[in-house]
Amino acid sequence: MQTRKLGNSNLEVSAIGLGCMGMSFSDGPPKDTQEMTALLGAVVDRDRHSSENWVETPSF
């Protein structure tokens, strides 16, 4: 898995991640909270066993 350096820090994140903006904003009505919580839980669990480690959340 390719990684990218995060800003001016020494942190690296996977080049591919999960964009979360559409879960609650901008992509039609908000999604079901329980479904989105389950999805994030599955991503976190999967990330323990893979090299993907980037979950992007916008700050508006």
Side-chain angles (χ1 to χ4, degrees):
M1 171 64 67
Q2 294 181 351
T3 61
R4 302 286 188 266
K5 187 174 176 185
L6 189 60
N8 293 323
S9 72
N10 290 325
L11 299 174
E12 289 191 2
V13 296
S14 59
I16 298 174
L18 173 66
C20 298
M21 189 166 108
M23 292 180 173
S24 63
F25 175 78
S26 175
D27 191 26
K31 309 302 183 260
D32 180 75
T33 301
Q34 289 181 332
E35 287 181 26
M36 296 301 101
T37 301
L39 174 63
L40 289 171
V43 168
V44 169
D45 188 47
R46 184 193 69 203
D47 286 348
R48 292 181 189 141
H49 307 290
S50 74
S51 56
E52 295 173 29
N53 61 2
W54 180 247
V55 176
E56 188 271 329
T57 58
S59 57
F60 285 51

